[in-house]
Every structure is written in C-alpha cells, then in structure tokens.
Amino acid sequence: MGTPTTPSSDGAGEGGGWFARRPAQAPDAFSAPQVPPASRAPSASGASRMPPAPHDSRTARGLRTPAGQAGTGPSDESDAALLRRTMAEIEPVADQVTSYFYALLFLHHPDLRELFPAAMDTQRDRLFRALLTAAAHADDPATLTTYLAHLGRGHRKYGTRPEHYPAVGEALIGALTRYASAVWGPRTEAAWVAAYTTISQIMIDAATEDELRSPAWWQAEVVAHEMRTPDIAVVTVRPDQPYPFLAGQYTALETPWWPRVWRHYSFASAPRSDGLLSFHVKAVPAGWVSGALVHRARPGDVIRLGPPAGSMTVDHSTDNGLLCLGGGTGIAPIKALVEDVARHGRRRTVDVFYGARENHGLYDIETMLRLRQTHPWLSVRPVLDDGPGGLPSGGLPDAVREHGPWHTHDAYLSGPPGMIRRGVEALVGVGIPTHRIRHDSLEELAGATT
C-alpha cells in the first residue's frame, strides 16, 4: 500500500469526508460544524422531511419505507431497489449531482465551507461512490454496518458530531430530487430518508463507541527523514501518546502545509518498542501531501495521524504459509508483515514477490534481502515489469504462476489497484480461495493522485 494508488502512498485522498472526496479512503463522510436547521433543500413533497440526526442506538437499523407512503414504482418494489434505481439514474450525471450537492450545502450553511480543503477538485466523485456502495449493500445489513462503522470512526478526525448530519441530509435529498426525477416520488424520498437515518445512526454509534477508547487524532513529530530515491522518502515519526496498530494496517496523515487534506499511508514496520512509526512515501505528480512529506518535511515538523485501519493482518492462529505481493512502495506493509511473523516466533514459510517497473523501484530490496539472511523461512524474489532488453514482462502475476504450489498459503497484496486486481485473478487461478486473499479495499486505494 505504498504506491501512488495505495494507502501507503498518497493513498486514497481525503478531504472533508464522504461528501468531500473520492476517486481518491474509501468513503468517509459528513464533515460539518453545528448549524441551525434554517433553509432546507426542496423535496418532492414541497419541503424536506429529513429527520433530525439520530441520537441513540434505538433508531431502526433496517431500510424500511415508512407506512402509508405512495410510490412512483411498482407497489412491491423494495426500498433497496428504489435506492439502486436512483443511483442508476444519476450515474451518468454524477459530477453534476455532487456539484449541486455542495452548492446547496454551502449556500444554506456557508460556515461549513471552512471544514473542507481549499481546493475541491479532487473531491467531486466521493459522494457518488459512497452512496453507490451504500445502495449496493442496502439489503445486506452486516456488510453495510461494517462499512459505515469504519466511516463513522474515521470521521472523528474531521470533528464530525451527531448534530452535523441534518444539513448534509437536506443537501443530499435536494440534489437527488433535482437529478433523479424519473424515479423520484414520495416512496423513493421516504426510502432515502430512512436509508440516511440508518446510515447516520450506524456512523454515530461507531464514533461514540470509539471515542471511549482513543483520541480522534494523534500529533506526531517527524524524527527522521531519509531519501531513498529522488521521489521516495522514509518518514519516521514519534506520536505524542501511545498509538496501537497491527502490522499490515494503515492510517491517514495530515500535514501542516495542507490543512484538512488527509492521505492514507501504510505502516512500514510492525509495532516497535520505542513507539516510533515509519512510512514509505512516494511523491506523485501534483501530489499535495506526498510532495510535502517527501520534499518539504524535516525533523521537528509535526503532522497529525488518524486512527489505524485495514484488515491486511496476519492470522497467527494458523501455520499456513504466507504469499506476499508488494508493488513499488507497497513493499512497506509487506515488510511489516514479515517482521510480525518473526516476532511471533512460529516457523511458517513466507514468500515475498517484490515488484517494480524498473530497477530503481526496488528501493528497499537491500532491507528485504537482509531479512531473508536472518530468517531462513523467508524467500524474497524481485520482479521487474520490464524484462530483458526492455521487453515488457508479465510482472508479479506471471512470477507467482511460475512458482508454487500456493493453494495452502494465505495471500497478501499491496500496491496499485491494477496490480491488486491482476494479482487476485492470478492467485485464484492457482488455487488460493478468495477468503484467504487479503488486501485493502480497492476503493480505498483508488485515485491517489494528490
């Protein structure tokens, strides 16, 4: 997760949450200060019926349409189907929908604007992607709850509070009313009101629970900055208080040079006794955060860390071998996984395929080779996309197919989304079941260009 499209690079770029970004964490949402419920966005029935922000866990979890609502679609059409039909209608004009959403939000609640990054150009697609994901899982409560709980916890770093949700909901209903006219009507609006109420409650509950365990963010001082290549740096920081995480996870970083702009980066080591954290950062073109961390940050600078996230962690209850594919700076969390296995002291084979486009992309190969010399159970194979004579090769997927067998291994992938997609196809093709293939969400990895 350390390439320009992985959490440990300028990863999924974050700004003001769910409605403030996304081709660039997975969805994150609703950064807004408290505002009076003044001007309300229009609805199909003439006035917004968006309920107040939910305030306790008794709010209904299901996406049920309130009784007595008329509808524009078939009478037996479910709320989930209405949500999906709405998203299908607005998909061709998603950019216009998100622009109109922001216009409504900032027009009726101008004090919200200061909670968002100064430049909004990288933020436009986030609302649509987040809504699409929620709509797709509307009839899968377990998946929806897991997804939204992650968002709710992550949104604490934006200062999001329960009282902030109504303004966002009003703008959402106003934008859908305008652009989903073919499907919009009392039943559809009721379905979206119920869905938004459920979304809000899950996120609020998760944030409230998380508030009892950890701060919304950590301050961290840069203590070391090592350039590995002209555009890759290893940045080491010391948090101002204990920072619990697992090898293979990632976090969001905010720099003092780009307030309210967060980017995801993987931890480049397992937890250390001295409490220090390291990240591999590659500066990408027009990369605000990555460029600042690589070319501007120096020891003594202070950055902010969000909470740890990600499930690409080692299952220490099994002796299965580990097959690890790391592309570019995606080698950072792979190295952390190797260190984690070594600390647990169980002899299990670990095979690492370290991929890059050219030789200089293997910037951390010496570290990996030293680990191989120390641990006889570790294998490290460098793989270049450009083969002999400059001819393109099959990269990591082909290299994995040439070795093995792997059907008894647990697989871990970290790198650009394209590499992960091809890698997953290759791993399934060689017999690894999908439940033993781990990588972070492709939505979290996509669009890291700033």
Side-chain angles (χ1 to χ4, degrees), residues 325 383 385 394-402 418-419 422-424 426-427 430:
L325 282 63
V383 180
D385 284 347
L396 289 176
D398 277 4
V400 169
R401 293 187 190 99
E402 292 172 5
M419 186 219 85
R422 294 191 300 272
V424 169
L427 295 174
V430 298

Side-chain angles (χ1 to χ4, degrees), residues 28-242:
D28 267 7
F30 319 138
S31 254
Q34 183 174 3
V35 292
S39 307
R40 298 182 179 269
S43 73
S45 57
S48 173
R49 293 184 289 106
M50 180 56 58
H55 58 278
D56 61 44
S57 58
R58 293 171 295 175
T59 299
R61 295 292 187 188
L63 300 180
R64 298 188 298 272
T65 304
Q69 295 294 333
T72 59
S75 59
D76 60 348
E77 190 167 16
S78 68
D79 280 14
L82 289 171
L83 300 183
R84 284 190 282 268
R85 282 216 294 145
T86 305
M87 296 309 298
E89 182 177 354
I90 68 173
E91 182 173 8
V93 291
D95 189 65
Q96 297 176 49
V97 177
T98 51
S99 295
Y100 189 72
F101 164 83
Y102 284 117
L104 286 177
L105 186 64
F106 297 151
L107 175 65
H108 297 308
H109 306 283
D111 47 343
L112 299 189
R113 184 61 181 89
E114 65 182 20
L115 266 287
F116 290 79
M120 296 284 288
D121 54 331
T122 63
Q123 317 285 340
R124 291 299 178 192
D125 203 33
R126 188 173 193 187
L127 167 61
F128 179 73
R129 287 177 180 267
L131 290 176
L132 186 62
T133 301
H137 297 291
D139 46 7
D140 183 357
T143 299
L144 185 64
T145 298
T146 299
Y147 170 73
L148 293 172
H150 168 69
L151 297 189
R153 291 188 294 268
H155 274 72
R156 291 184 57 217
K157 64 180 176 289
Y158 301 118
T160 307
R161 304 296 303 168
E163 59 267 25
H164 301 159
Y165 284 76
V168 173
E170 293 162 7
L172 170 63
I173 294 298
L176 294 178
T177 299
R178 180 182 179 93
Y179 286 96
S181 56
V183 68
W184 203 256
R187 276 203 62 226
T188 302
E189 181 175 344
W192 275 100
V193 169
Y196 183 79
T197 302
T198 299
I199 289 169
S200 302
Q201 188 63 64
I202 294 172
M203 294 179 67
I204 290 169
D205 287 349
T208 300
E209 181 181 353
D210 192 60
E211 191 171 4
L212 301 176
R213 299 192 301 258
S214 66
W217 63 76
W218 288 252
Q219 302 278 9
E221 179 185 359
V222 176
V223 297
H225 187 281
E226 177 191 358
M227 296 296 298
R228 292 292 186 86
T229 75
D231 60 355
I232 295 177
V234 176
V235 182
T236 302
V237 303
R238 178 185 291 111
D240 62 348
Q241 53 187 304

Side-chain angles (χ1 to χ4, degrees), residues 6 25 28 63 88 140 144 195 198 206 230 273 284 292 323 334 353 376 381 389 396 420 431:
T6 67
Q25 210 91 20
D28 267 7
L63 300 180
D140 183 357
L144 185 64
T198 299
S273 59
V284 297
L323 172 59
I334 300 300
F353 289 80
R381 297 181 177 91
L396 289 176
I420 291 178

